């Protein structure tokens, strides 16, 4: 997934008591609790961003921070619960959780009464279906996640509503309040796909195709007043939204403004001087500001430092010698100095396994190569080198992007490997080409001799299915746009991936993902380095601040502003 830096701020709203700011406070308080809880509406929430979004069309965005913002103006059948410490889905447009057939192939939802678009017209089951059908025209609306295409096309090769004479047969609408999804095979995590913006309702009469992102129609508590691309976005209250139909969103501010193009250092300055309230896109403050905050107890008490769902890792290509030998791969696992990587990256939590915190199945004790302490195990690395027939070491190539932080990471890995006789040459590439045509092409990986490929990954939705299959599934190895950089094709892991798809018991499924995570580490083709952490500063005026574990960011739908 891509990354964006969005910064949230606010000016004074109405505040009718002195009690609202007296709840949970302190460093990391927003990770497990709610800082400054309040139900007081009013005020303007001001946001700033260094970069523009990819699209405001919910079918075309693939940025975690935008997913969070989408919930201001679109609703879906299900949505993440607005409370800390959970990744649960709760009903949104739907009256309740779906009715699922005994064979796991049919999901039936019934819509709430009284839900409306911004023009006052009722939101119908057909609007939800049409919103999903738009996704199928990837020639017109590319860019967003396509999981629903994978699950619902089922060989009919539906081209989308702009060129089709029929409709998507796997989704039916018996009446205006009922929508039914028919799957070809069970997929227990299917509800998570319906919480994505790509499943938001769109009124067909208002659809402008590729221009829909210029001003999407609101089904949520806010509507777009204006979009000045690359400069500023303004949301105001959607008068047609009825809070009685929405048990999730507080929607306290009267107005929300997003200024685009602010330099990151200027954003930090505005955060500290109170012009902005918080970093809602959760990019975190810049390193100099981070040092200043952490050295000042009063400032530090106004921050949260959550893991944001990304794992930094190195894939070892099982099709590039000598990494076709598991012992050579294990030698690298033991040799890398994760503390040095942590320093090179400016922080983060040292990782023992690939599956990051917040994903069911994450095991904080998983540490097969004894690296959670950060220190390398050079003696064990040399033992593995002897077992793989390379007692004096070997030469390889590290693929990475040319960004400064990636280069520092590669250099830290290179230095540690040299200590055990592994000579690694760094080959940097343009970040815009890296994933698709440089390391995303197995043919190019083999040709260039890329034994170690540096990358980062986060879940598209917070389950093992949203994180792992494209990284480790044998059937996911593609000739271009490949994400299984290790070209891992392990029969045991492939079978586990197939089996876990149908497990509806979340506790049991988490146990299987834990087993898969351990099997990946035993295979040693994936070297987890660090889980990303970001330091986000909360202005005291901000209310209802908490990290929504689903996104690894503060929940923007809950935020309010108050006078202090």
């Amino acid at each position: 997934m891509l990354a964006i830096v969005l910064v949230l701020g606010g000016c004074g709203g109405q505040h009718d008591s002195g009690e609202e700011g007296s709840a949970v406070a302190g460093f990391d308080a927003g990770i497990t609790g709610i800082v400054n809880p309040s139900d007081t509406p009013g005020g303007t929430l001001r946001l700033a961003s260094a970069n523009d979004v990819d699209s405001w069309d919910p079918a075309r965005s693939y940025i975690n921070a935008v997913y969070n913002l989408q919930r201001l103006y679109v609703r879906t059948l299900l949505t993440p619960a607005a409370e800390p410490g959970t990744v649960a889905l709760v009903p949104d447009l739907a009256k309740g959780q779906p009715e699922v057939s005994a064979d796991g192939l049919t999901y039936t939802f019934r819509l709430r009464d009284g839900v409306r678009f911004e023009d006052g017209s009722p939101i119908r089951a057909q609007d939800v279906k049409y919103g999903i059908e738009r996704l199928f025209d990837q020639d017109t609306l590319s860019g967003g996640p396509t999981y629903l295409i994978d699950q619902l096309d089922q060989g009919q090769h539906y081209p989308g509503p702009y060129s089709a004479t029929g409709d998507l047969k796997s989704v039916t609408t018996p009446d205006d309040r009922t929508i039914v999804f028919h799957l070809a095979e069970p997929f227990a995590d299917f509800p998570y796909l319906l919480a994505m913006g790509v499943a938001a309702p769109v009124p067909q009469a208002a659809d402008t195709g590729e221009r829909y992102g210029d001003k999407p129609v609101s089904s949520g508590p806010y509507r777009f007043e204006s979009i000045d691309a690359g400069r500023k976005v303004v949301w105001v209250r959607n008068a047609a939204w009825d809070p009685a139909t929405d048990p999730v969103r507080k929607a306290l501010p009267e107005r929300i403004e997003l200024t685009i193009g602010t330099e990151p250092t200027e954003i930090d300055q505005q955060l500290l001087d109170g012009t902005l309230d918080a970093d809602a896109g959760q990019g975190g403050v810049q390193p100099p500001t981070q040092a200043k905050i952490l050295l000042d107890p009063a400032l530090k008490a106004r921050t949260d430092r959550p893991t944001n769902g990304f794992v930094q890792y190195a894939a070892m290509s099982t099709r590039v010698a000598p990494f076709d030998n598991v012992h050579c791969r294990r030698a690298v696992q033991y040799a890398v100095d994760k503390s040095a990587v942590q320093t090179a990256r400016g922080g983060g939590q040292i990782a023992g396994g690939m599956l990051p915190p917040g994903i069911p199945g994450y095991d904080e004790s998983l540490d097969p190569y004894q690296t959670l302490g950060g220190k390398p195990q050079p003696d064990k690395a040399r033992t593995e080198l002897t077992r793989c027939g390379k007692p004096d070491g070997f030469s390889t190539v590290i693929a990475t992007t040319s960004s400064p932080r990636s280069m520092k990471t590669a250099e830290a890995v290179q230095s540690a490997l040299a200590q055990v006789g592994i000579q690694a040459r760094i080959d940097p590439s343009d970040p815009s080409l890296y994933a698709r045509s440089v390391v995303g092409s197995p043919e190019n990986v083999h040709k260039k001799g890329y034994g170690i490929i540096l990358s980062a990954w986060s879940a598209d939705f917070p389950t093992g299915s949203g994180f792992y299959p494209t990284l480790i599934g044998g059937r996911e190895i593609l000739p271009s746009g490949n994400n299984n950089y290790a070209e891992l094709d392990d029969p045991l892991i492939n079978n586990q991936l197939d089996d876990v798809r149908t497990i509806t018991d979340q506790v049991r499924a988490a146990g299987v993902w834990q087993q898969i995570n351990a099997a990946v580490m035993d295979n040693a083709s994936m070297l987890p380095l660090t889980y990303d952490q970001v330091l986000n500063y909360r202005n005291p005026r901000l209310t209802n601040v908490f990290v929504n574990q689903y996104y690894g960011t503060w929940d923007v739908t809950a935020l309010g502003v108050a006078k202090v």
Side-chain angles (χ1 to χ4, degrees):
M1 292 180 66
L2 303 174
I4 190 172
V5 180
L6 295 168
V7 177
L8 166 71
C11 66
Q14 298 301 311
H15 185 75
D16 59 6
S17 83
E19 300 176 356
E20 296 175 359
S22 61
V24 176
F27 177 61
D28 275 351
I31 294 178
T32 57
I34 301 175
V35 179
N36 294 341
S38 173
D39 290 321
T40 303
T44 297
L45 195 60
R46 292 193 172 91
L47 295 80
S49 169
N51 307 298
D52 203 356
V53 302
D54 50 354
S55 179
W56 293 116
D57 185 337
R60 306 192 71 178
S61 179
Y62 215 149
I63 296 175
N64 192 53
V66 182
Y67 292 168
N68 195 4
L69 290 170
Q70 282 174 357
R71 296 166 69 236
L72 296 171
Y73 63 93
V74 298
R75 298 178 66 180
T76 45
L77 293 169
L78 302 170
T79 197
E83 57 186 86
T86 180
V87 294
L89 295 177
V90 296
D92 189 1
L93 286 176
K95 283 184 177 180
Q97 297 290 347
E99 299 171 12
V100 185
S101 61
D103 59 9
L105 297 179
T106 304
Y107 287 74
T108 302
F109 292 87
R110 290 178 174 81
L111 271 62
R112 298 181 189 271
D113 296 327
V115 290
R116 299 182 181 278
F117 288 114
E118 64 179 81
D119 64 357
S121 61
I123 299 173
R124 306 167 305 143
Q126 293 87 341
D127 299 313
V128 177
K129 177 177 178 176
Y130 181 76
I132 292 171
E133 287 179 328
R134 298 174 73 244
L135 178 66
F136 282 71
D137 191 336
Q138 284 292 294
D139 290 337
T140 304
L141 301 178
S142 62
T146 57
Y147 291 99
L148 282 171
I149 296 177
D150 299 335
Q151 294 298 315
L152 298 174
D153 188 67
Q154 302 169 8
Q156 64 179 293
H157 305 296
Y158 176 66
Y162 307 127
S163 56
T165 55
D167 63 346
L168 182 61
K169 304 301 182 185
S170 51
V171 182
T172 56
T173 53
D175 55 59
D176 287 355
R177 318 308 303 162
T178 307
I179 185 167
V180 185
F181 298 89
H182 306 271
L183 306 186
E185 58 183 17
F187 180 41
D189 285 344
F190 181 70
Y192 287 95
L193 309 187
L194 301 176
M196 291 180 163
V198 295
V202 174
Q204 185 170 2
D207 184 15
T208 53
E210 64 183 1
R211 299 294 303 267
Y212 187 70
D214 292 350
K215 198 170 185 181
V217 176
S218 172
S219 53
Y222 296 94
R223 63 176 177 83
F224 287 97
E225 181 180 79
S226 62
I227 299 177
D228 185 359
R231 296 183 178 181
K232 190 170 185 177
V233 175
V234 177
W235 291 276
V236 294
R237 284 200 180 278
N238 173 12
W241 174 75
D242 183 353
T245 71
D246 191 341
V248 180
R249 298 163 181 80
K250 281 186 175 290
L252 297 179
E254 290 296 323
R255 182 181 179 90
I256 301 173
E257 298 179 355
L258 167 64
T259 302
I260 299 167
T262 308
E263 289 295 326
T265 54
E266 176 61 23
I267 288 174
D268 287 359
Q269 182 59 45
Q270 291 181 24
L271 285 171
L272 294 179
D273 68 20
T275 307
L276 298 174
D277 289 326
D279 177 358
Q282 320 307 283
V285 297
Q286 302 305 297
T289 309
Q290 182 175 149
K292 178 179 179 179
I293 288 174
L294 293 178
L295 289 172
D296 185 326
L299 294 178
K300 182 179 177 180
R302 298 172 185 167
T303 62
D304 294 316
R305 187 167 57 186
T307 54
N308 64 3
F310 276 87
V311 58
Q312 301 291 330
Y313 72 97
M316 285 171 270
S317 176
T318 59
R319 307 289 176 87
V320 173
F323 293 119
D324 51 353
N325 186 306
V326 67
H327 294 291
C328 285
R329 302 195 296 267
R330 287 175 181 166
V332 172
Q333 295 275 356
Y334 282 119
V336 169
D337 185 336
K338 293 184 180 179
S339 289
V341 170
Q342 185 183 47
T343 300
R345 298 199 59 79
Q349 175 183 331
I350 289 174
M354 283 293 293
L355 203 62
I359 305 295
Y362 164 69
D363 182 358
E364 65 180 359
S365 66
L366 182 64
D367 188 21
Y369 303 103
Q370 296 86 54
T371 59
L372 273 179
K375 298 303 180 184
Q377 309 287 317
D379 291 341
K380 292 182 179 180
R382 293 186 183 98
T383 298
E384 292 296 333
L385 285 172
T386 299
R387 289 174 177 172
C388 79
K390 303 286 185 180
D392 298 322
F394 54 85
S395 297
T396 190
V397 181
I398 299 175
T400 185
T401 72
S402 57
S403 68
R405 188 174 292 183
S406 295
M407 286 297 295
K408 288 181 180 179
T409 303
E411 289 164 1
V413 172
Q414 178 189 50
S415 177
L417 295 181
Q419 301 304 308
V420 297
I422 300 174
Q423 304 303 318
R425 176 174 61 86
I426 299 172
D427 187 4
S429 299
D430 185 327
S432 66
L433 303 174
Y434 185 71
R436 179 158 296 276
S437 59
V438 178
V439 296
S441 165
E443 180 181 3
N444 189 62
V445 168
H446 305 160
K447 178 182 177 182
K448 295 291 186 67
Y450 292 150
I452 299 174
I453 299 169
L454 297 185
S455 190
W457 194 254
S458 72
D460 287 340
F461 47 94
T463 74
S465 292
F467 178 83
Y468 245 150
T470 55
L471 291 183
I472 63 173
R475 288 185 293 274
E476 303 292 337
I477 301 171
L478 304 174
S480 64
N482 178 49
N483 288 301
N484 185 346
Y485 299 143
E487 295 183 71
L488 178 59
D489 191 6
D490 183 296
L492 172 62
I493 292 173
N494 291 341
N495 289 336
Q496 288 178 309
L497 290 174
D498 288 340
D499 292 343
V500 75
R501 288 175 55 87
T502 65
I503 299 176
T504 56
D505 184 312
Q506 294 184 0
V507 174
R508 183 178 161 217
V512 175
W513 285 115
Q514 188 172 345
Q515 294 171 17
I516 292 172
N517 200 33
V520 170
M521 293 307 300
D522 185 63
N523 178 276
S525 59
M526 309 287 282
L527 166 61
L529 298 170
T530 60
Y531 304 125
D532 281 356
Q533 290 178 301
V534 292
L535 186 71
N536 293 310
Y537 178 83
R538 359 176 187 92
N539 189 294
R541 295 178 299 181
L542 205 62
T543 64
N544 299 313
V545 187
F546 67 88
V547 174
N548 190 318
Q549 189 174 321
Y550 196 98
Y551 299 108
T553 62
W554 290 329
D555 192 322
V556 70
T557 68
L559 295 174
V561 290
K563 291 182 179 179
V564 293

